[in-house]
């Protein structure tokens, strides 16, 4: 007859094993999410742990498994964009939810200077976390090369500049999304489709511009005339739209490579007396739930599943932490067009 824990005493792993009728080693494998257990043992141990109210001793587990139960979420973004762009908060929420689902603690690292980079490298190499999710979109950022050299599982959002060798990547089909947006505008009868573009040092912006160019068949001269950079900000989108209106007064459609820039473009069009969508149709990118449905008019936008991207990154990282031999590769998630009143 298994001995029940003394009232008030914290249940131990031995208590869980005894109640489940398995060995301590089997109970440990189940509670550490090892794939090397039978479904019956998994069910018995899980039920016993729930009934006893067992909570693993994280300090003891860390000593035994050399695991911390923590994952770093690293944003390499110079300047204030991390706090000015609402997509940053969206990514943080998604990461926190997805990591909680695998019982991991979030450690947030912001890298905005060479000093931050040095601290982040020391931290990641110091055994403080079990793995990392990396967001480092800019050309010339040394962080992807730094993490490639660490003995630490890392999964990257998008594809960094430079060779992807040795990196696990989860990306969106940004070029395909640019094609979707532009073809939608052309299919509705628009003839002069311009684009408000993102930063040229980010692959997502370069790919979205490539999608617009593919759909329009634009020449180099057309790109110079019909596009204007907006820096992925609302103010930038407004300035870019004003410049395009001055340079291309007969424009009748705009593909903005982010919802923030699209919102700025709507501001500029309103101030110029252009009606949307009657005079100018507008399509954004992101389908951000706090932006696209709330502009006037509501914004047609290319949806990239940010929550799905982060979930896939966490799933991939969790598989690496479980010891699965996954080859580094780039996984590309699809984009879809969400139609609203602006186009």
């Amino acid at each position: 007859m298994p001995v029940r824990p003394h009232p008030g005493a914290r249940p131990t792993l031995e208590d869980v094993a005894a109640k489940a009728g398995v060995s301590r080693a089997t109970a440990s494998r189940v509670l550490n999410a090892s794939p090397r257990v039978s479904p019956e043992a998994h069910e018995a141990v899980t039920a016993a742990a729930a009934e006893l109210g067992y909570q693993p001793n994280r300090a003891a587990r860390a000593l035994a498994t050399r695991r911390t139960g923590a994952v770093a979420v690293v944003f390499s973004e110079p300047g204030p964009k991390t706090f000015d762009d609402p997509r940053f908060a969206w990514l943080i929420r998604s990461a926190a939810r997805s990591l909680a689902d695998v019982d991991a603690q979030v450690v947030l690292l912001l890298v905005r200077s060479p000093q931050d980079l040095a601290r982040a490298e020391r931290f990641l190499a110091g055994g403080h976390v079990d793995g990392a999710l990396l967001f480092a979109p800019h050309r010339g950022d040394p962080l992807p090369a730094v993490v490639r050299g660490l003995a630490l599982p890392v999964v990257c959002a998008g594809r960094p500049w430079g060779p992807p060798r040795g990196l696990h990547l989860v990306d969106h089909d940004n070029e395909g999304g640019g094609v979707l947006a532009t073809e939608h505008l052309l299919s509705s009868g628009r003839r002069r489709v311009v684009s408000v573009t993102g930063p040229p040092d980010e692959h997502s912006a370069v790919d979205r511009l490539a999608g617009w160019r593919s759909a329009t068949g634009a020449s180099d001269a057309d790109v110079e005339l019909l596009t204007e950079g907006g820096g992925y900000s609302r103010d930038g989108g407004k300035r870019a739209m004003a410049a395009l209106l001055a340079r291309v007064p007969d424009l009748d459609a705009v593909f903005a490579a982010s919802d923030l820039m699209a919102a700025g473009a709507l501001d500029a069009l309103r101030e110029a007396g252009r009606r949307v969508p009657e005079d100018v149709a507008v399509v954004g990118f992101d389908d951000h739930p706090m932006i696209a449905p709330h502009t006037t008019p509501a914004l047609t936008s290319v949806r990239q599943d940010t929550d799905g991207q982060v979930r896939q990154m966490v799933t991939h990282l969790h598989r690496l932490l479980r010891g699965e031999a996954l080859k580094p590769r780039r996984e590309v998630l699809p984009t879809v067009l969400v139609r609203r009143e602006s186009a």
Side-chain angles (χ1 to χ4, degrees), residues 151-228:
L152 183 79
V154 177
V155 180
C156 301
R159 73 186 196 277
W161 295 87
R165 177 181 51 81
L167 295 175
H168 300 269
L169 313 174
V170 181
D171 201 0
H172 284 109
D173 184 8
N174 288 290
E175 183 170 348
V179 171
L180 277 176
T182 309
E183 287 186 343
H184 172 67
L185 292 168
L186 292 170
S187 68
S188 67
R190 309 292 170 158
R191 292 292 175 263
R192 199 69 158 155
V193 182
V194 301
S195 182
V196 177
T197 63
D201 71 337
E202 296 193 31
H203 268 307
S204 62
V206 172
D207 290 347
R208 293 170 196 181
L209 173 60
W212 169 86
R213 186 168 184 172
S214 174
T216 59
S219 66
D220 290 345
D222 292 332
V223 173
E224 186 71 21
L225 176 67
L226 300 176
T227 69
E228 187 74 22

Side-chain angles (χ1 to χ4, degrees), residues 12 129 141 170:
T12 66
V129 292
D141 191 331
V170 181

